Amino acid sequence: MSSSADLFVVCKQCGSEVSPYITECPYCGHRLRRRAPKLPRAQGSGRSSRRRGRWSIRGRSRSASTFAREGRRRAFSGEDVWAGSRPYATIALVVAGAGSWVAFHARPVLFGEMTIIGPLDGDWWKLFTSQFAYTTGLYAFVTLVTVAVFGWLLERRHGPLVVLFLFLGAGATGALVASAVYSEAVVSGGNAGALALIAAWAIPDLRAARAGREYEGDLLGAAAFAAVLLAMPFADVGASWLAGLTGAVFGVLVGLGLDRVENPVP
């Protein structure tokens, strides 16, 4: 047998050249030694390896906890479920608004039957139908584009029921507040629901920006959409500023609730 520094040793049984770091000949099975020699270790490698071991364990622990939190968040928000599906609720809201606009031109009397003009007088369904009645094309275009963009983003995150609840709930609440405040209230269009969608979508990014964390959304773009909708009552008498502001508050509250459940405080 040669020393462990040699490149190979010769098996006495079959004469084959084999590695000096094995105990049995792979050709004939003859035992070459009882145990394989230890590999040389550089000075100080034990301490560094122990340090690396500790850091790697901590890294795995952090990764596992982060993955668990992300998994719980995705399990609630439904991102994995809804991200690849079609935004049916958003499509339905946009089609309903556009279809009402076309129907009003064919039968103008429908506008008065769906819009809130003055007291409700028991016509409670106008709290919902008024959200699809637009007085001008500019108002309809801006609102429907906003609903299409932010409704789609929210539906990918939470699913269609949340989008419908936000739009219809904010619109009905805004119309009810405006009817309660003004004796001759005029409420039409979906500015309240559209502002609620913007606010609910922006809440997670706003909280991340406040905490100094990275976020993926475009808050400046969302602010631009919201500013146009809030200024719409100055260009269209059918858009109620009080209903829109109430819808924005409604969206903030719902968005805070959704974000708190997704990212609970430890």
Side-chain angles (χ1 to χ4, degrees), residues 19-20 24 44 54 63 66 69 91-92 96 104 134 136 145-146 149-150 191 193 199 210 224 231-232 235 261:
S19 170
E24 294 182 359
R54 286 198 296 269
S63 299
T66 303
R69 287 195 301 269
I91 294 173
F104 293 154
Y134 296 95
T136 62
V145 168
T146 304
V149 173
F150 292 94
N191 60 332
R210 183 179 180 183
M232 188 58 65
V261 177

Side-chain angles (χ1 to χ4, degrees), residues 25-108:
C25 176
Y27 302 101
C28 64
H30 176 69
R31 177 170 289 277
L32 303 176
R33 64 183 78 236
R34 291 184 177 180
R35 63 181 62 182
K38 296 182 179 180
L39 295 174
R41 179 181 297 175
Q43 186 177 1
S45 62
R47 180 178 299 177
S48 63
S49 64
R50 286 194 297 271
R51 289 180 179 176
R52 285 195 299 269
R54 286 198 296 269
W55 281 111
S56 62
I57 291 174
R58 291 177 183 175
R60 285 194 296 269
S61 300
R62 286 195 299 268
S63 299
S65 61
T66 303
F67 180 78
R69 287 195 301 269
E70 183 69 15
R72 289 194 298 269
R73 184 184 69 82
R74 286 178 175 270
F76 172 80
S77 64
E79 287 185 7
D80 295 335
V81 177
W82 304 112
S85 62
R86 292 183 181 275
Y88 292 109
T90 303
I91 294 173
L93 293 175
V94 174
V95 170
S100 299
W101 170 254
V102 175
F104 293 154
H105 285 75
R107 188 182 177 188

Side-chain angles (χ1 to χ4, degrees), residues 96-189:
S100 299
W101 170 254
V102 175
F104 293 154
H105 285 75
R107 188 182 177 188
V109 71
L110 287 176
F111 185 82
E113 296 175 355
M114 297 177 63
T115 308
I116 297 176
I117 303 176
L120 285 173
D121 292 333
D123 298 337
W124 58 267
W125 63 85
K126 291 185 177 181
L127 295 175
F128 301 96
T129 58
S130 62
Q131 303 176 49
F132 304 98
Y134 296 95
T135 52
T136 62
L138 176 64
Y139 183 21
F141 176 78
V142 172
T143 305
L144 293 180
V145 168
T146 304
V147 172
V149 173
F150 292 94
W152 170 66
L153 292 174
L154 271 176
E155 193 163 351
R156 284 171 54 90
R157 186 186 297 173
H158 299 293
L161 294 181
V162 172
V163 173
L164 292 176
F165 172 76
L166 272 168
F167 184 85
L168 297 177
T173 304
L176 188 62
V177 170
S179 297
V181 172
Y182 298 106
S183 58
E184 296 295 331
V186 178
V187 182
S188 67

